[in-house]
Amino acid sequence: MTLSSQYNVITSPLGDDLHKDGKRLTPQRLKVLNLFENIGSGKHLSAEEVHQKLVKSSSKVSLATIYRTLRLLVQMGLLHELELSEGGHRYELLSNDTPEHHHLICIRCGRTEEFENEQVLEAGKVAAKINGFKLIESSLNVRAICPKCI
Ligand SMILES: [Zn+2]
Ligand SMILES: [Zn+2]
């Protein structure tokens, strides 16, 4: 079962956790999360794209709210945030089905390709362990220029 199909998440184990942090999956947040679940993993959307899609599906929501909601979902560990070099951010679903992966990002057009690399994961594990940190994820963003933009 997906997280957002379970509307009354407060009673789910994950919902309890989220509640403990003082953060809840409000209907607004679920709507955004749903959108990501519906488009599937491996898609990277900007806040503007999320906003456009929600407005199209007749949700009256401001871009400012979307920004806030996306930031919160990142803090909750439900979305992953990618930073493009010109300050643009993209978001993707962080789920158990998605293998930990890294991104090759075109700094001109934003084209994003995913790749997997064990050594990056290992390096993250080691660094976290040495410093006594609890590991959440290790990901590498590679900024580059795609063939079309060179
Ligand atoms: Zn990705
Ligand atoms: Zn490009």
Side-chain angles (χ1 to χ4, degrees), residues 41-44 80 82 92-93 98 101-103 112-114:
S41 58
K43 295 273 168 31
H44 310 82
H80 178 240
L82 293 172
E92 71 179 323
L93 196 61
T98 333
H101 63 271
H102 315 288
H103 299 94
T112 304
E113 297 296 334
E114 301 188 331

Side-chain angles (χ1 to χ4, degrees), residues 38-57:
N38 289 339
I39 61 162
S41 58
K43 295 273 168 31
H44 310 82
L45 299 181
S46 65
E48 289 79 8
E49 286 168 333
V50 171
H51 185 238
Q52 277 166 15
K53 283 180 197 293
L54 284 184
V55 167
K56 252 190 214 147
S57 66

Side-chain angles (χ1 to χ4, degrees), residues 57-132:
S57 66
S58 79
S59 300
K60 281 216 175 84
V61 57
S62 71
L63 187 56
T65 303
I66 294 296
Y67 276 119
R68 260 202 314 278
T69 305
L70 287 170
R71 254 200 310 271
L72 202 87
L73 289 171
V74 170
Q75 283 169 17
M76 290 166 104
L78 299 170
L79 291 183
H80 178 240
E81 185 175 18
L82 293 172
E83 219 176 320
L84 307 183
S85 63
E86 70 272 30
H89 293 241
R90 274 162 197 264
Y91 301 85
E92 71 179 323
L93 196 61
L94 204 65
S95 79
N96 295 333
D97 316 334
T98 333
E100 287 195 78
H101 63 271
H102 315 288
H103 299 94
L104 186 63
I105 303 160
C106 175
I107 58 165
R108 299 216 173 130
C109 70
R111 177 179 157 193
T112 304
E113 297 296 334
E114 301 188 331
F115 63 96
E116 290 173 42
N117 186 304
E118 271 305 315
Q119 281 143 308
V120 173
L121 302 184
E122 198 50 44
K125 257 182 227 161
V126 170
K129 198 172 176 193
I130 288 173
N131 293 287

